[in-house]
Amino acid sequence: SYELSQPPSVSVSPGQTASITCSGDSMGDKFACWYQQKPGQSPLLVIYQDNKRPSGIPERFSGSNSGNTATLTISGTQAMDEADYYCQTWDTRTAGVVFGGGTKLTVL
Amino acid sequence: EVQLLESGGGLVQPGGSLRLSCAASGFTFSSYAMAWVRQAPGKGLEWVSSLSSSGGYTYYADSVKGRFTISRDNSKNTLFLHMNTLRAEDTAVYYCAKDKTAGATNPKFDFWGQGSLVRVSS
């Protein structure tokens, strides 16, 4: 089965840039989505189709995808961005949705 | 305003059955694919099943294939998940999620419900 790997945790200082990676075999040939989930809340779509932002998502959230890695970048990270982040893609071979294991972003 | 309201969760014994419902409002339900995603306590997101806008195409995770059935009633704006032969490892919060498109492949889940807790225990 297709697997997506994310680092368990990433730390960033306020105002700095945070990068969260999502690795999978030929991930660049697929579309990546990213979700933010804060404690006790439902997930929120922050990036879809590699680099598109849904309405209402701040411009500091951006995405890229090439080779084997998709990356979520948060520029000028704010305390409110502290959350778990999950990448997601569609595996055509198994006809299924795949989520990464999630990355806990700490802003300190 | 898009709203997704799950119901039907609860405590069930191993081997038992349960049906989850997701009442949708605020958008044209019949135009969008829908899905169920679950999250075990303290764990990450796990996709369960997806369904195209017409209901003609369904997809399942291997972990639930043959035990769970996804369906929808577009006349009542409601999504369902019928769960049979439940196991302890099915214990999770089950989220209903709306796709941005009609087809269930290459999904982008742009709205999520608040979740319904399913506990499988004797």
Side-chain angles (χ1 to χ4, degrees), chain B residues 27-33 52-54 72 74 99-103:
Chain B
F27 64 103
T28 305
F29 182 73
S30 59
S31 295
Y32 296 94
S52 62
S53 60
S54 66
R72 63 193 298 161
N74 284 344
D99 197 336
K100 282 180 71 66
T101 60

Side-chain angles (χ1 to χ4, degrees), chain A residues 18-40:
Chain A
S19 295
I20 299 174
T21 58
C22 173
S23 299
D25 187 40
S26 300
M27 180 61 182
D29 294 338
K30 307 176 185 299
F31 280 126
C33 293
W34 290 91
Y35 301 88
Q36 175 193 71
Q37 187 179 33
K38 296 181 179 180

Side-chain angles (χ1 to χ4, degrees), chain A residues 31 33 35 37 41-45 48-49 86 88-90 94-101, chain B residues 37 39 43-47 50 59-60 95 100 104-110 112-115:
Chain A
F31 280 126
C33 293
Y35 301 88
Q37 187 179 33
Q41 296 185 15
S42 302
L44 172 71
L45 180 67
Y48 67 98
Q49 265 177 239
Y86 295 90
Q88 172 250 306
T89 193
W90 172 262
T94 59
V97 175
V98 182
F99 282 99
Chain B
V37 177
Q39 187 169 34
K43 301 298 184 181
L45 301 175
E46 180 189 13
W47 170 73
S50 293
Y59 306 89
Y60 296 94
Y95 294 103
K100 282 180 71 66
T105 59
N106 253 321
K108 319 150 195 54
F109 302 127
D110 58 349
W112 297 62
Q114 86 292 342

